Amino acid sequence: MILSELIDYGTLRLIWWVLLGVLLIGFAALDGFDLGVGMLLPFIGRSDVERRVVINTIGPVWEGNQVWLVVGGGAIFAAWPPLYAVSFSGFYLAMFAILAALILRPVGFKYRSKREDPRWRSTWDWALFTGGFVPALIFGVAVGNVLQGVPFRFADDMRIFYEGSFFGLLNPFALLCGLLSVSMLVMHGSAWLALKTDGKVAWRARRYGGIAALLTLVLYAAAGAVLWAYIGGYRITSAIDPAGPSNPLLKTVVTESGAWFANYAAYPWLLIAPVLGILGTLATFFGLRSKAEILPLLTGKIAIFGIISSVGVSMFPFILPSSIDLRSSLTVWDSSSSHLTLFIMLVVTAIFLPIIVAYTSWVYHVLWGKVDEAGVTDKSSHSY
């Protein structure tokens, strides 16, 4: 018996859908606080030394955290080729904007302290702000557009046609989701700074983090209300074969009001996702107010898990709906790689993902502790 046959095709597809969610949540939970710290930098740091303290809380770890984004992109390429083709080509300008913003981060870290000129350093501080704000906003905007459906279609020969534009992505609901993403990551970045700093920097971090947590609650509730009242979801009306061919054109799909909430009615236990999003955000708010250190960071990650996973379970089995040709919508059951490819990738992931997690944990253990002004001003240190 071929080893790959130990796990049937439908189960492998479901496993990779879960793994894709794990990678995306891992990126948001780890690199997310890096983005949040970058957005907070010009506001929390009131002096050059304070801003250096803020920068040095993420300077040693941001590169390792960004590995989750790279692995996520690679997983989409290997496990869901049509999803990769549509999203990375249709969202080309948006992806380019994210890439350009992310490039500002290493450049900002390296060049900021090369000159003593306050204007020079202030310029790089705002570059680091841009490197956090733009990706956070566009990732949220992308999720908002996915929930509404993306204007793409497949021809009968499976050629892909994208009929949208960059500015078409900036619609009101997508921008609402973008602002939710920004506030969520600012909340998480504040929790990180509350843990890694003390004094006035930590005080300001708790203050801004509390505001961001309240905004996250309001925006999350508003997005859910708009999704329920004004945006129709997608539903498959034809027979579903979890082990069927990877051809999205073989199914029929309709749009219905409230369809994105049908999974919660069918499986009430899935409500744990939005509940964790709400409770995690509330716990982060009260943790920051109570001057706790580790708790707000942990509850912030729970909030991120709940908010992002609520999108995934709401849409299941859809992963990228089409707004102009419903049957072209990509689902878990008709847009994956072959059975053998998914199995090989699962084996590779089972080997290397624990290594990544172990190495990341070791790095955080080694770098545990607070960053203070004395440390960053010490001439013998290697601080930014």
Side-chain angles (χ1 to χ4, degrees):
M1 181 176 63
I2 301 176
L3 191 60
S4 62
E5 294 179 356
L6 293 174
I7 307 177
D8 66 83
Y9 199 10
T11 302
L12 275 173
R13 284 169 160 169
L14 185 60
I15 290 173
W16 270 102
W17 175 78
V18 173
L19 285 174
L20 178 60
V22 168
L23 294 173
L24 294 178
I25 293 171
F27 167 70
L30 291 174
D31 202 39
F33 68 72
D34 295 343
L35 301 178
V37 169
M39 288 185 277
L40 288 165
L41 174 62
F43 309 102
I44 285 185
R46 302 294 172 83
S47 67
D48 181 66
V49 174
E50 287 182 351
R51 292 187 177 186
R52 289 185 64 194
V53 168
V54 172
I55 291 172
N56 279 277
T57 63
I58 60 172
V61 298
W62 73 269
E63 289 176 292
N65 293 339
Q66 200 160 283
V67 167
W68 291 87
L69 177 62
V70 178
V71 174
I76 293 175
F77 173 78
W80 311 100
L83 174 62
Y84 181 90
V86 173
S87 58
F88 279 70
S89 58
F91 296 163
Y92 180 80
L93 290 179
M95 295 288 184
F96 183 83
I98 291 173
L99 180 61
L102 290 176
I103 289 173
L104 288 175
R105 290 204 294 174
V107 178
F109 289 141
K110 298 297 183 183
Y111 280 88
R112 183 190 183 278
S113 295
K114 295 296 183 181
R115 295 175 59 182
E116 298 288 344
D117 184 7
R119 289 195 303 174
W120 169 270
R121 295 191 172 187
S122 178
T123 298
W124 285 114
D125 290 339
W126 284 103
L128 290 170
F129 167 84
T130 303
F133 178 78
V134 171
L137 179 69
I138 294 181
F139 283 134
V141 166
V143 172
N145 279 281
V146 169
L147 285 166
Q148 296 174 92
V150 177
F152 74 94
R153 61 182 176 87
F154 287 97
D156 291 337
D157 59 0
M158 297 304 294
R159 286 183 299 160
I160 301 172
F161 294 89
Y162 181 81
E163 300 182 7
S165 66
F166 173 76
F167 292 103
L169 299 175
L170 304 178
N171 55 78
F173 178 74
L175 289 173
L176 173 62
C177 293
L179 292 176
L180 169 59
S181 174
V182 168
S183 65
M184 178 179 72
L185 297 187
V186 167
M187 174 188 71
H188 200 37
S190 298
W192 174 254
L193 289 174
L195 172 65
K196 294 290 289 182
T197 65
D198 51 23
K200 292 182 179 179
V201 173
W203 179 83
R204 295 189 195 109
R206 294 187 185 97
R207 180 183 177 188
Y208 282 108
I211 296 172
L214 293 178
L215 281 174
T216 300
L217 281 174
V218 172
L219 293 171
Y220 186 46
V226 172
L227 193 64
W228 172 268
Y230 300 105
I231 297 175
Y234 291 68
R235 183 171 67 86
I236 300 174
T237 58
S238 57
I240 298 176
D241 182 6
S246 290
N247 184 348
L249 300 180
L250 299 179
K251 65 180 180 301
T252 56
V253 178
V254 297
T255 58
E256 293 179 349
S257 177
W260 284 152
F261 296 85
N263 284 339
Y264 296 115
Y267 308 99
W269 62 270
L270 292 176
L271 288 169
I272 189 65
V275 168
L276 286 177
I278 294 171
L279 293 182
T281 304
L282 282 172
T284 304
F285 171 78
F286 288 112
L288 289 169
R289 290 290 299 271
S290 66
K291 299 183 180 180
E293 293 189 344
I294 296 179
L295 179 63
L297 186 67
L298 297 178
T299 56
K301 295 183 187 300
I302 292 174
I304 289 173
F305 171 82
I307 291 172
I308 296 178
S309 61
S310 68
V311 176
V313 299
S314 296
M315 292 180 57
F316 185 85
F318 291 92
I319 51 178
L320 189 63
S322 170
S323 61
I324 60 174
D325 182 21
L326 300 184
R327 66 174 185 156
S328 292
S329 299
L330 303 178
T331 75
V332 173
W333 313 125
D334 59 22
S335 58
S336 72
S337 294
S338 68
H339 188 178
L340 181 60
T341 299
L342 293 183
F343 181 79
I344 293 174
M345 289 298 299
L346 181 62
V347 173
V348 172
T349 302
I351 295 172
F352 287 100
L353 188 59
I355 295 175
I356 294 174
V357 172
Y359 174 75
T360 302
S361 302
W362 178 77
V363 168
Y364 279 93
H365 173 71
V366 171
L367 299 174
W368 190 258
K370 291 184 179 293
V371 179
D372 55 26
E373 295 185 6
V376 300
T377 55
D378 185 355
K379 298 296 185 181
S380 64
S381 71
H382 297 281
S383 60
Y384 290 106

